[in-house]
Every structure is written in structure tokens, then in C-alpha cells.
Amino acid sequence: MSTAGNLLRFVSACWKLNLAGAMEFRMSFLLTAGMMMINNAVWIFYWSVYFRRFPVVNGWEMNDVTMMWAVSAGGFGLMAVFFGNVNRISSMVANGQLDTYLAQPKPVLLHVLISRMSVSAIGDVLFAFILFVLFGDLSFWGIAKFALALLIAMLIFLFFSLTANSLAFYIGSADGLSFQLFQALLAFSTYPTGIFKGWGRLVLFSVIPAGFISYLPIGLIRSVDVTFLTGAAAVSLGLAVGGTWFFYRGLRRYSSGNMMGMRA
């Protein structure tokens, strides 16, 4: 079998094992995913109350905010389900826990990313699809645009977090910094970009690229804004290339923790 085929089998096997591990305690799995869906639904309720009083805010309507939550929750959920180990990289580097991955004949970064699944994030993914079914455009074109928005959001979440966590190779302990950066990205991706002006808006489209996620309902799902869509695609691709390069460059500086461990 080709190298690509072996790699796909390896990725598929890891995801199956992660899901099997999550399903071992089914009641805990259902409660965790369910609580995440309830938590997200509370925010939708909050925004529905707000837009009942102010139907339009700088061009944003309730349906746009609903789609913004579908894209943000779905993009984050897909990242955390399929690449759920990304937010642990900084602590693994600081504690010398990458040794297990370096000793195996698999791509190090891919192996690290797919080695863990977030159970609660499955609730985010389900919540996103439910929102889209209830309030989204279910035509073929509408589904295609929603799928593209999810892909862009997932890539931005994944590689921004990878870059932030890779700082540990250069500055030592970066748990707190990477956590704060990722929380900022996550939080601002759930607010309409129309409420930010001046420097705040500039930061959201540069330092913390949350604007490229939260604006997707306006710039892609409502109507295709070619300029914005090109910028969002370029940012996600740039983060993917830059984040991967930053990780492998930092890996040269990695010091083994001399830890004994085994991974199937």
C-alpha cells in the first residue's frame, strides 16, 4: 500500500481509538457533550433577547449571529474532536513529553495533534449542525458555503493554537500565554465584528484573527464577498504553513525529558 494510504489508515485508527475511549463511559460522554450544547444554547437565548429589542445592529441581524455561533462552535468543535491534543503541546514541550512521538516512524506533528479527542467538543459540533438545520440555507449551495466556512474556521483555530503552543520551544513554559491567546481567539469569534471599530477591529483581523471567523456569516454565508473570502483563505493557509514551520523549527531546540513511555 502507498505511503499516503498507510498514513490515512494510521489517522483513521487513531480517531477510532479516541472515539472508543470516549464512549467507554457513555453516561459521562452524553452528559459532557449535552452540557456543552446547553451552554451554547444559553448564549443564543441571550442574543435572541437582545435582537428582539434591537433587530439590526450595524447590519447584523439575529440570523447572522446564529450562523456566527454555528460556524464558531462548529470550527472549534471539529478542531478539538479531530486534533484535540493541540492545546497540550506547550505543556508537553515544557515537561519533555514529546519523546514518545519522536521515537516512532510517524509524522511527529500529525501524530501529536490526533492523539487526543475532546469529548465536550462533540457537543459543539452537534450544536453547530442543529443550528444550521434550524436556521441555515439547506440548499446545495448553502450547505457548500457552510462547509467551507467550517473548514476555514477549523484551520484558523487549529494553526493559531499550534503557533501559540509552539512558543514553548522558545520561551520555556508557555501554558498561560498560549491559553490566554486561544481563549481570546475563541471569545472574540463569537461577537459580531460590526460592534468593533478602529484599533479593536484592526487587532481582530491581524494579531488575533477572530474577525475572519466571526465575519464568515456576512462575507460568505449571506453573500460571497470575494475580497473577504480570499483574505480568510489566505490567512488560514498562511497560519497552516507558518504554524507548521514554527513547530518544526522549535522542535530542533527541544530537550528530551528522558521519560519512559510506550504508545501503540
Side-chain angles (χ1 to χ4, degrees):
M1 183 173 288
S2 66
T3 302
N6 287 331
L7 197 60
L8 286 175
R9 285 185 58 192
F10 166 66
V11 172
S12 175
C14 277
W15 284 341
K16 286 179 181 177
L17 287 173
N18 289 338
L19 182 60
M23 294 295 289
E24 183 179 2
F25 304 101
R26 295 191 178 187
M27 182 56 69
S28 174
F29 163 74
L30 292 173
L31 288 174
T32 304
M35 287 304 296
M36 183 55 66
M37 296 177 68
I38 293 173
N39 179 67
N40 292 340
V42 169
W43 281 100
I44 295 298
F45 173 75
Y46 161 78
W47 281 112
S48 70
V49 172
Y50 182 87
F51 276 93
R52 200 171 297 154
R53 184 174 179 80
F54 307 101
V56 181
V57 178
N58 291 336
W60 285 71
E61 301 175 0
M62 182 60 201
N63 194 65
D64 299 322
V65 172
T66 305
M67 286 299 97
M68 178 188 69
W69 267 86
V71 170
S72 298
F76 165 78
L78 289 172
M79 179 214 73
V81 168
F82 293 115
F83 308 100
N85 215 20
V86 65
N87 283 322
R88 295 184 64 250
I89 289 178
S90 59
S91 63
M92 294 171 69
V93 171
N95 297 323
Q97 295 176 335
L98 288 182
D99 296 14
T100 305
Y101 300 93
L102 295 174
Q104 297 193 25
K106 301 288 190 302
V108 176
L109 178 57
L110 178 64
H111 195 179
V112 170
L113 293 177
I114 64 176
S115 295
R116 182 176 290 261
M117 168 187 289
S118 169
V119 176
S120 63
I122 295 176
D124 287 305
V125 176
L126 293 174
F127 177 78
F129 284 117
I130 290 173
L131 275 187
F132 181 70
V133 169
L134 292 177
F135 302 102
D137 176 6
L138 298 180
S139 66
F140 173 79
W141 184 233
I143 293 173
K145 289 194 293 184
F146 181 64
L148 179 58
L150 288 181
L151 176 62
I152 291 173
M154 183 191 75
L155 291 176
I156 292 176
F157 276 126
L158 173 61
F159 288 103
F160 179 83
S161 181
L162 172 63
T163 304
N165 276 268
S166 296
L167 287 171
F169 288 118
Y170 304 90
I171 65 174
S173 177
D175 290 17
L177 178 60
S178 59
F179 176 78
Q180 294 297 335
L181 287 172
F182 185 75
Q183 288 301 310
L185 174 66
L186 185 60
F188 285 116
S189 69
T190 58
Y191 284 90
T193 52
I195 66 177
F196 297 100
K197 303 293 181 186
W199 283 102
R201 190 177 180 86
L202 180 62
V203 169
L204 293 185
F205 282 95
S206 55
V207 182
I208 302 173
F212 288 103
I213 298 174
S214 60
Y215 195 71
L216 283 168
I218 303 294
L220 174 59
I221 294 178
R222 185 199 282 183
S223 61
V224 179
D225 181 336
V226 176
T227 303
F228 166 74
L229 184 57
T230 303
V235 166
S236 58
L237 181 61
L239 281 172
V241 174
T244 302
W245 174 82
F246 197 53
F247 173 85
Y248 278 107
R249 184 179 183 278
L251 191 59
R252 299 175 190 165
R253 307 162 63 100
Y254 173 71
S255 298
S256 170
N258 294 318
M259 297 183 66
M260 297 295 292
M262 184 172 66
R263 182 174 178 81

